[in-house]
Amino acid sequence: MTPSTTRDGIVANPSSQNAAAKQVDMFAEFDGAALAPMKPRKPQRRPHRAKATSRIAYRDGRPRAGTKAAVALESIIDAGKAGRTRYEICESTGIGYCSIAAPVLALLKAGLIVELAATRPTPTGNHAHVLVAREAMQ
């Protein structure tokens, strides 16, 4: 084997040039496979075809939706003009603070209750804003 000179003046072994040419052919085969179109996907099936138990569970759960908000609103209306803090609502209804925060926020956004600037101390020593029903303010 005789070395050959490239135009840059680098001496290259002809056997290494053949190996490089073979490697390019090998990658061309993979490149061609990558450009082939994919098979169309089958549509995904639903996990369960709305079984009777699922329909019953959905139907039974619907009437309970919004009951915490209704209980919180009733508690605030019962307090009258004095109103209640969120903590006092929890004490009067027996619902946990984390469970009552979202329904109270929904009542505020709906405009059924108003949050006053007045505050009251909570058992932890923090000051909480007083919530009053809009109808009690009139």
Side-chain angles (χ1 to χ4, degrees):
M1 293 189 191
T2 60
S4 61
T5 307
T6 62
R7 61 185 158 120
D8 297 333
I10 300 172
V11 177
N13 189 348
S15 62
S16 66
Q17 290 175 353
N18 290 339
K22 288 179 185 176
Q23 188 176 13
V24 170
D25 289 339
M26 182 178 74
F27 287 124
E29 181 181 330
F30 288 114
D31 290 339
L35 296 175
M38 293 178 56
K39 293 179 184 177
R41 298 180 107 189
K42 293 181 181 178
Q44 296 291 323
R45 293 185 68 176
R46 291 174 48 189
H48 56 76
R49 298 275 183 190
K51 296 180 180 175
T53 54
S54 297
R55 289 192 299 267
I56 291 168
Y58 173 74
R59 186 186 66 225
D60 290 346
R62 283 183 63 200
R64 289 192 304 252
T67 55
K68 287 182 184 173
V71 169
L73 181 60
E74 185 179 335
S75 173
I76 294 168
I77 290 171
D78 289 343
K81 290 187 177 187
R84 293 190 194 249
T85 64
R86 287 174 178 83
Y87 186 81
E88 292 168 347
I89 294 169
C90 294
E91 285 182 336
S92 68
T93 61
I95 300 172
Y97 186 84
C98 292
S99 298
I100 206 71
V104 166
L105 182 62
L107 292 171
L108 282 167
K109 287 184 177 180
L112 297 173
I113 60 174
V114 178
E115 189 170 22
L116 302 178
T119 60
R120 286 192 204 136
T122 63
T124 60
N126 296 328
H127 291 282
H129 289 276
V130 178
L131 303 165
V132 179
R134 189 172 292 278
E135 63 186 45
M137 292 180 66
Q138 297 173 352

